Amino acid sequence: MSNTFHRGAAVIVGAAESDLGAVGEACSPIDLMAQGVYRALDDCGLRIDEVDGLFCATSQSRLAGLALAEYLRLPEAYIDSTSTGGSSFMGHLVRAQAAIAAGLCDVAVVAYGSTQRSLGRKQTSRAEWNPYESPFKPFLPPTAYALAAARHMHQFGTTREQLAEVAVAARQWALRNPAAWEKTPLTVEDVLASRMVSHPLTIRDCCLVSDGGGAVVLAAPGRAAQLAKPPVYLLGSGHCTTHQTISNMPDLVETGARVSGAKAYAQAGLGPADIDVLGLYDAFTINTILFLEDLGFCAKGEGGAFVSGGRIAPGGALPVNTNGGGLSYCHPGMYGIFLLIEAVRQLRGECGARQVPGAEVALAHGNGGVLSSQYTVILGGAATL
Amino acid sequence: MGAAPQDQAPGRGEAPYGRYLAYLQAGQLAYQYSTAAARPVFFPRVRCPYSGRDCLEWRVSQGRGTVYSTSVVYPRKGEPYNVALIDLDEGFRMMSRVVDVDPHAVRIGHKVAFRVAQDPEGGDPVPEFTLLEQA
């Protein structure tokens, strides 16, 4: 397969969230998607009529690309509304850069919106019947991640306390992010004593159910050079789909992040030691442990010990999920866009109390389905191009 | 873009799930075996996913397996129940449940035996498992 990736072929110039949290039943997912687009354009100083590429996904719209083109009145825009679940937006980012490089568009937006908190999860992400799984009533997605967590605990001695450390670290970061949903401290004991959802995961091992949306803007280098905000570049990416359903995951303790991460590192010419700030799709506490292992930050099986003692919390050796993550900041169902927004802000130095000093390289790792789709992107500032 | 001539149109009862279900209704747990890849295939498919060839044969499992992973689901209403992934001795994995035991007593590595469970609401029968006496 030929590699058409050209570092610097496009520039990430804008990033913004829509309203987050609980927006009310009257708000539509496309309202939030469009609000994210307008704010991300305001962030970089581009106008809506300069946008000619739309990349978007949401579980609440079967034809999300058409809905966004209609809302924004962009009839001729190039459209890609591929869905790989929560990892969709990493794919959109990569293909937006490729589309700009191929001359299909000059200014692309990658956008998401969801009102799953206000409408209720059952209405917004209807489960598809699978005769090999649905009759056993797994509570999806939590049960799938619980099965992975149970296996990790069995093979490596990982404990529920270590899983809880992930939630505690995320909460500590969230307390430094004014946009985060959660506003009060959390302890390991709180996590363990919370309502059990699917053993061994309690409600505090699970992500939030919130509303929210957001967008990032990419532009061709010539256009980007006229803009005020510091440029952010896509340095490398990789993707791997190991399965869709959890009963078909080849190994519950090794995700496709091993492959997607290796591809992204190779393309970027970088390794784990070069990453200054890390965003890992933490839909559940086990995710962070699995991805730290599979992306090479610790050995397989050592993730539980690795996250203990505040290593990934504020002040720890490795800053992970500095926005507070899906666990404590925001999780409207497909969280990947928020990893991209936070990576851009960290690389620009815009993160205030949670800023990682001098961050030059960020890794954002998206997850879709039930550990099914793994999509790694590595981003860097001007010094890394 | 015509269909390849060796393709068997998966008509009613011949669709992969239809064949699997027919075995279940006869009290048997069936799976496919790829003669090209020399390995089992589950869930049932129209063709071998390893080779793309029309080389799948149906086999009947002995119904013995090992718990690969296990969870206990806590519904908002009703009692907690088991959901497990079972590795069958023939080398394929499936989701099911381990029954007739406290759901928390099910452990990874436990040996289990297959039986057919009828759906009280008239849906398709499903495979479920019971614990074998542990050695």
Side-chain angles (χ1 to χ4, degrees):
Chain A
M1 192 176 70
S2 65
N3 188 344
T4 56
F5 175 79
H6 299 295
R7 186 184 281 208
V11 190
I12 304 171
V13 294
E17 297 135 324
S18 72
D19 291 348
L20 305 177
V23 298
E25 283 180 28
C27 189
S28 83
I30 313 300
D31 283 333
L32 295 184
M33 203 180 266
Q35 189 182 51
V37 169
Y38 290 126
R39 288 181 183 173
L41 291 168
D42 291 345
D43 177 57
C44 60
L46 286 168
R47 298 187 316 272
I48 189 66
D49 61 358
E50 296 178 277
V51 174
D52 58 358
L54 298 176
F55 296 74
C56 63
T58 172
S59 65
Q60 288 173 253
S61 172
R62 283 190 300 115
L63 302 172
L66 307 192
L68 188 59
E70 173 186 82
Y71 197 113
L72 301 176
R73 294 182 54 83
L74 293 173
E76 295 180 50
Y78 179 84
I79 291 176
D80 175 342
S81 54
T82 305
S83 179
T84 59
S87 68
S88 298
F89 313 96
M90 283 67 186
H92 292 163
L93 183 76
V94 171
R95 292 193 302 281
Q97 165 145 328
I100 288 170
L104 296 169
C105 54
D106 284 325
V107 175
V109 295
V110 176
Y112 171 63
S114 162
T115 58
Q116 75 163 13
R117 183 178 189 88
S118 292
L119 289 189
R121 209 175 132 256
K122 278 190 177 159
Q123 287 185 53
T124 53
S125 323
R126 191 160 298 153
E128 295 169 30
W129 179 262
N130 176 325
Y132 305 103
E133 291 199 350
S134 306
F136 308 109
K137 298 185 169 64
F139 178 44
L140 294 176
T143 298
Y145 292 85
L147 289 165
R151 188 72 201 176
H152 204 277
M153 293 166 74
H154 172 78
Q155 279 187 232
F156 304 120
T158 308
T159 64
R160 286 186 56 204
E161 287 78 4
Q162 290 171 336
L163 292 169
E165 290 265 11
V166 173
V168 169
R171 182 63 59 89
Q172 290 174 1
W173 282 114
L175 297 180
R176 297 178 176 216
N177 180 1
W181 175 261
E182 297 286 0
K183 302 293 186 192
T184 56
L186 182 74
T187 67
V188 167
E189 292 70 32
D190 293 336
V191 178
L192 297 184
S194 296
R195 180 172 65 82
M196 191 62 74
V197 172
S198 194
H199 192 273
L201 303 181
T202 72
I203 191 72
R204 295 275 82 87
D205 287 292
C206 302
C207 61
L208 304 169
V209 176
S210 69
D211 300 330
V216 297
V217 183
L218 287 85
R223 187 76 61 101
Q226 303 152 11
L227 303 175
K229 289 287 178 87
V232 172
Y233 296 95
L234 176 62
L235 305 179
S237 72
H239 182 224
C240 182
T241 310
T242 45
H243 59 282
Q244 183 193 358
T245 51
I246 197 65
S247 52
N248 286 281
M249 184 168 178
D251 181 343
L252 280 181
V253 299
E254 182 171 313
T255 73
R258 185 167 289 266
V259 171
S260 68
K263 287 182 176 177
Y265 288 136
Q267 197 168 55
L270 298 170
D274 301 309
I275 306 300
D276 298 315
V277 58
L278 195 50
L280 304 175
Y281 196 115
D282 60 337
F284 299 89
T285 51
I286 186 63
N287 295 36
T288 303
I289 289 173
L290 287 168
F291 299 151
L292 284 167
E293 294 171 354
D294 293 335
L295 295 169
F297 292 90
C298 63
K300 179 51 66 184
E302 293 179 5
F306 187 87
V307 300
S308 298
R311 185 182 268 132
I312 63 171
L318 185 66
V320 176
N321 295 338
T322 52
N323 56 7
L327 291 166
S328 279
Y329 148 69
C330 171
H331 197 296
M334 293 164 70
Y335 171 71
I337 191 73
F338 302 101
L339 291 164
L340 299 178
I341 292 168
E342 181 70 0
V344 169
R345 289 175 171 168
Q346 283 285 352
L347 295 173
R348 291 173 171 180
E350 295 177 340
C351 286
R354 66 184 193 279
Q355 179 64 42
V356 175
E360 291 193 344
V361 179
L363 184 151
H365 181 77
N367 165 79
V370 288
L371 295 168
S372 317
S373 167
Q374 302 300 321
Y375 217 129
T376 310
V377 296
I378 298 173
L379 307 179
T384 63
L385 187 64
Chain B
M1 204 180 81
Q6 70 270 28
D7 266 358
Q8 295 174 343
R12 201 174 170 82
E14 291 301 318
Y17 178 68
R19 285 288 292 273
Y20 170 80
L21 180 61
Y23 278 103
L24 262 189
Q25 286 165 335
Q28 294 177 318
L29 178 60
Y31 65 102
Q32 292 172 315
Y33 184 84
S34 164
T35 53
R39 58 192 295 180
V41 170
F42 196 88
F43 55 96
R45 288 162 163 88
V46 295
R47 279 211 204 180
C48 167
Y50 300 104
S51 66
R53 289 165 54 188
D54 193 9
C55 64
L56 293 175
E57 56 185 46
W58 284 89
R59 294 186 176 183
V60 174
S61 167
Q62 294 299 304
R64 297 296 169 96
T66 306
V67 176
Y68 173 66
S69 194
T70 180
S71 181
V72 181
V73 179
Y74 285 70
R76 290 280 191 173
K77 293 175 185 168
E79 292 299 307
Y81 57 90
N82 179 262
V83 173
L85 297 178
I86 308 296
D87 281 342
L88 278 298
D89 287 355
E90 290 86 0
F92 66 96
R93 179 176 302 158
M94 65 187 311
M95 182 178 283
S96 185
R97 59 186 174 230
V98 182
V99 297
D100 291 348
V101 62
D102 173 356
H104 279 289
V106 180
R107 296 269 181 271
I108 292 173
H110 273 169
K111 301 296 181 189
V112 292
F114 154 82
R115 72 183 187 193
V116 176
Q118 302 300 330
D119 180 353
E121 289 163 21
D124 294 343
V126 296
E128 65 181 18
F129 290 83
T130 57
L131 287 183
L132 283 168
E133 204 164 308
Q134 301 303 310

